[in-house]
Amino acid sequence: MAELARNTQPITTQVKQDEVISPWKEAWKSFKKNKLALVGTFIVLLFIVIAIFAPLIAPYGIDKQVLGDRLQAPSSDHWLGTDDFGRDIFSRIVYGARISLWVGFFAVLASSIIGSLLGIIAGYYGRWVDTIISRTFDIMLAFPSILLAIAIVAILGPSLQNALIAIAIINIPNFGRLIRSRVLSVKEEEYITAAKAIGMKDSRILLHHILPNSMTPIIVQGSLAIATAIIEAAALGFLGMGAQPPNPEWGKMLADSKNYLIQAPWTMIFPGLAIMLTVLGFNLMGDGLRDALDPRMKN
């Protein structure tokens, strides 16, 4: 009987459970394995630090003119040389990082918010609401983005603020169509159907269920869109429709130095390198975020 009692006693076993890892921690772990993404992140952080501490880094003022030093080659006094007004190019590039990053971040922030809201509304409600919003996006995308930006700035007037508004407007359809397609698939999930069945309001469903589950493409598209916005801001500046003198915007610096390409090539090379490195950094970081956050990119 004692042996039978021992055999009938519950046998306790220690089951080792796998550690539950949140999707964001898993994405960060995957992101850290991408060497190019880390390089891009380092470049982006470097330019952000330069923009924040520009007054401490720049050895000269952005508009300090010494006509006797005009078009000097790079030297110990002027690391990247001087322009046609004798201004230090390194100092102007450092301060120009503030303008380019400011336009890139805030233009994309505005376009992502407006585009995401319109995309969510179009995808969730459908019917005539979706038709109106989607056809508006199609019309905007029918124009080359830079031409549409030029038209908007021509109407509003050339300035850095109006260039930011134009860049934000032309990027709205990209976010709107992306989020609309995401919402069309998310709203068919069972938890959305259950939320509707218990009488949850549409506003709460959109803000608490659909929007959080649509953040991944917004983050990826946003990081890549900043690079595009910086190029578009430089293009508007090059055409004289963006930042106005004496603001040291990189595109405007290229336009001012185009007549000295042979005589003083450094006046164009270094602002161009600043644009290239910044855009490269955001593109590499955006590609890394896409690989880390998109399930279709994982094995």
Side-chain angles (χ1 to χ4, degrees), residues 92-233:
R92 290 178 62 79
I93 288 178
V94 167
Y95 277 97
R98 283 186 166 185
I99 297 176
S100 295
L101 293 178
W102 180 76
V103 172
F105 279 118
F106 283 97
V108 171
L109 178 63
S111 60
S112 63
I113 293 175
I114 298 173
S116 298
L117 290 176
L118 292 175
I120 288 175
I121 294 172
Y124 184 77
Y125 290 103
R127 299 184 180 180
W128 63 270
V129 176
D130 184 20
T131 301
I132 293 176
I133 295 177
S134 297
R135 296 297 78 79
T136 302
F137 289 163
D138 292 339
I139 293 173
M140 295 177 66
L141 292 172
F143 296 93
S145 59
I146 189 62
L147 292 181
L148 183 58
I150 291 173
I152 295 173
V153 175
I155 295 172
L156 299 178
S159 70
L160 182 62
Q161 290 76 14
N162 292 338
L164 188 153
I165 294 173
I167 294 171
I169 291 174
I170 65 177
N171 281 286
I172 288 175
N174 297 325
F175 286 95
R177 295 185 68 178
L178 178 67
I179 299 306
R180 174 186 174 273
S181 62
R182 176 67 177 172
V183 172
L184 288 175
S185 61
V186 171
K187 74 174 185 177
E188 301 299 331
E189 298 290 340
E190 294 181 357
Y191 62 89
I192 300 297
T193 305
K196 293 179 180 178
I198 64 176
M200 187 177 293
K201 294 181 180 180
D202 289 344
S203 59
R204 187 173 181 182
I205 294 176
L206 291 174
L207 294 177
H208 292 273
H209 295 288
I210 292 182
L211 181 60
N213 286 282
S214 304
M215 288 301 296
T216 297
I218 296 177
I219 294 173
V220 175
Q221 178 64 25
S223 61
L224 296 172
I226 292 176
T228 304
I230 291 174
I231 294 179
E232 291 165 345

Side-chain angles (χ1 to χ4, degrees), residues 209-273:
H209 295 288
I210 292 182
L211 181 60
N213 286 282
S214 304
M215 288 301 296
T216 297
I218 296 177
I219 294 173
V220 175
Q221 178 64 25
S223 61
L224 296 172
I226 292 176
T228 304
I230 291 174
I231 294 179
E232 291 165 345
L236 291 174
F238 186 85
L239 296 174
M241 307 186 74
Q244 300 300 306
N247 291 322
E249 197 272 327
W250 293 338
K252 181 61 177 173
M253 292 176 65
L254 289 176
D256 294 340
S257 59
K258 64 181 183 295
N259 295 327
Y260 306 99
L261 180 58
I262 304 300
Q263 181 183 358
W266 55 86
T267 57
M268 283 195 79
I269 291 175
F270 294 118
L273 283 176

